[in-house]
Amino acid sequence: MKPARSRAVNTSSVNISTINMGTVNIGDAAKASGVSAKMIRHYESIGLIPSAGRTESGYRTYAESDLHRLRFVKRARTLGFSIKEIEALLALWGDRRRSSAKVKALTQKHIDELEGKIAEMQAMKQALQQLAHQCHGDDRPDCPILDDLAAEPNRAPRCH
């Protein structure tokens, strides 16, 4: 059994009564980091965060450094980074000899992927707007939207 870690904990967003030798339980870690308890357990299971300390009764405990790492992961997920990319970013964050060029390259690759997805979504939006414009939206059964969806690939639907 792992001994409980003893590091300072930021108590501004956790219940003081839950602090146990400088650690917080999973519920308070979730509140403090903005990451659900379920996701904390998942991140631990895939190695994104280190295994939690445990109390004698087996409850997970988290130190301030764990909360900091969870907030890092949360922010990276909010920015759309994949788990694999976050693993790389965490490794770079922990490497004091890192080159910021590596961080920038990883970030630029993510930006490029986002731009591609944005372009795809804009094309979808334009296609849907065109279809919606062609649709009368009345009591008639004819529907250019359904015709388009049912059309054979590379074959234009008939116009109404």
Side-chain angles (χ1 to χ4, degrees), residues 107-127:
T107 302
Q108 188 59 56
K109 180 178 179 263
H110 182 59
I111 292 167
D112 295 345
E113 291 167 358
L114 287 173
E115 286 175 344
K117 289 177 185 177
I118 289 168
E120 288 175 16
M121 292 181 80
Q122 286 174 333
M124 283 188 263
K125 178 184 172 189
Q126 288 173 345

Side-chain angles (χ1 to χ4, degrees), residues 31-94:
K31 288 176 196 167
S33 66
V35 177
S36 72
K38 181 178 180 179
M39 287 308 296
I40 291 172
R41 287 188 290 272
H42 174 68
Y43 292 154
E44 184 179 336
S45 74
I46 63 172
L48 202 57
I49 63 169
S51 295
R54 298 283 181 156
T55 64
E56 285 188 26
S57 54
Y59 291 104
R60 287 176 168 86
T61 60
Y62 298 90
E64 178 61 33
S65 60
D66 299 319
L67 300 179
H68 195 184
R69 190 173 179 98
L70 284 167
R71 286 188 290 267
F72 182 105
V73 171
K74 170 77 172 177
R75 178 68 176 143
R77 291 297 289 158
T78 300
L79 292 173
F81 285 102
S82 69
I83 295 295
K84 185 176 178 178
E85 291 168 328
I86 294 170
E87 287 173 345
L89 288 166
L90 284 166
L92 289 165
W93 184 42

